[in-house]
Amino acid sequence: MRTAPTAIAAALLAALTLTACGGNDGGDAGDGGKTATASPSGDGKGAGSGSACVAAGAAFEVGPSSAAPAAGDEGAVPVTVTNKSGAPCTLKGLAHVELLAGGKSWPLAPLEGAAKDAEMPLAEGQSVTFTIAYVRGVAGDTQKSAAVEKLSFSLPGEKKANTYDWPDAEVALQSGGTLDATVGPFTPVGD
């Protein structure tokens, strides 16, 4: 059964919005090599909510995903960002996400209703998550789906991309050759 690509993501967004405010789950559990920690950078002297969060002062974890069971179904891949900079920082806006396959790249549109200028302050050790919602494509049908190999993302305001293996199956193509996938806003972890 096909679910509208934004329906589940919108429901998830609404539920997570009700738990707004910070979570303190600074866990750094490994996920089969999918967690990366970079050393801190910057002056570390942020005041209030701190300066912008940067990849060099963050740890990332992709998954575990909620894979779409069959073609036409919706799945979700969460990406967790943990502040490891040693000081507070702020995420302003949305992550820039692209899915990659066979030398081709598809930038993802924001989830409908996701505020592009929302600010999310992070204390040291605090984590937030953004979710990639997608519709599963038909295996082997290059006209209707893309056999995505990699997930690439960058934090708001940064150009440096962080690349991970795509954990799920192929992604459906919409008319015009765009992927049937969206990226959601940052939401607190642990509430």
Side-chain angles (χ1 to χ4, degrees):
M1 176 174 142
R2 175 167 163 66
T3 306
T6 57
I8 291 175
L12 178 62
L13 174 61
L16 290 172
T17 301
L18 293 174
T19 64
C21 295
N24 284 328
D25 184 76
D28 207 11
D31 185 21
K34 293 182 180 179
T35 300
T37 304
S39 59
S41 70
D43 64 11
K45 299 178 184 174
S49 62
S51 56
C53 297
V54 295
F60 304 104
E61 183 176 355
V62 175
S65 67
S66 175
D73 289 341
E74 186 170 304
V77 177
V79 177
T80 303
V81 180
T82 302
N83 178 7
K84 298 287 186 180
S85 69
C89 66
T90 300
L91 291 164
K92 183 174 181 180
L94 303 171
H96 174 77
V97 178
E98 295 185 14
L99 298 183
L100 315 168
K104 189 165 182 177
S105 170
W106 291 272
L108 300 188
L111 172 69
E112 186 176 336
K116 296 178 186 175
D117 58 353
E119 290 191 17
M120 175 71 63
L122 288 178
E124 161 63 17
Q126 187 177 4
S127 299
V128 292
T129 299
F130 66 89
T131 301
I132 300 156
Y134 72 95
V135 173
R136 183 171 176 171
V138 178
D141 188 341
T142 58
Q143 299 299 312
K144 294 183 179 177
S145 61
V148 173
E149 301 160 350
K150 300 283 183 184
L151 155 66
S152 178
F153 65 88
S154 56
L155 295 180
E158 285 203 309
K159 294 186 188 268
K160 179 184 183 296
N162 304 280
T163 303
Y164 293 84
D165 290 337
W166 177 247
D168 289 348
E170 53 283 324
V171 177
L173 286 167
Q174 296 178 321
S175 61
T178 60
L179 289 180
D180 198 350
T182 58
V183 59
F186 292 103
T187 56
V189 170
D191 284 345

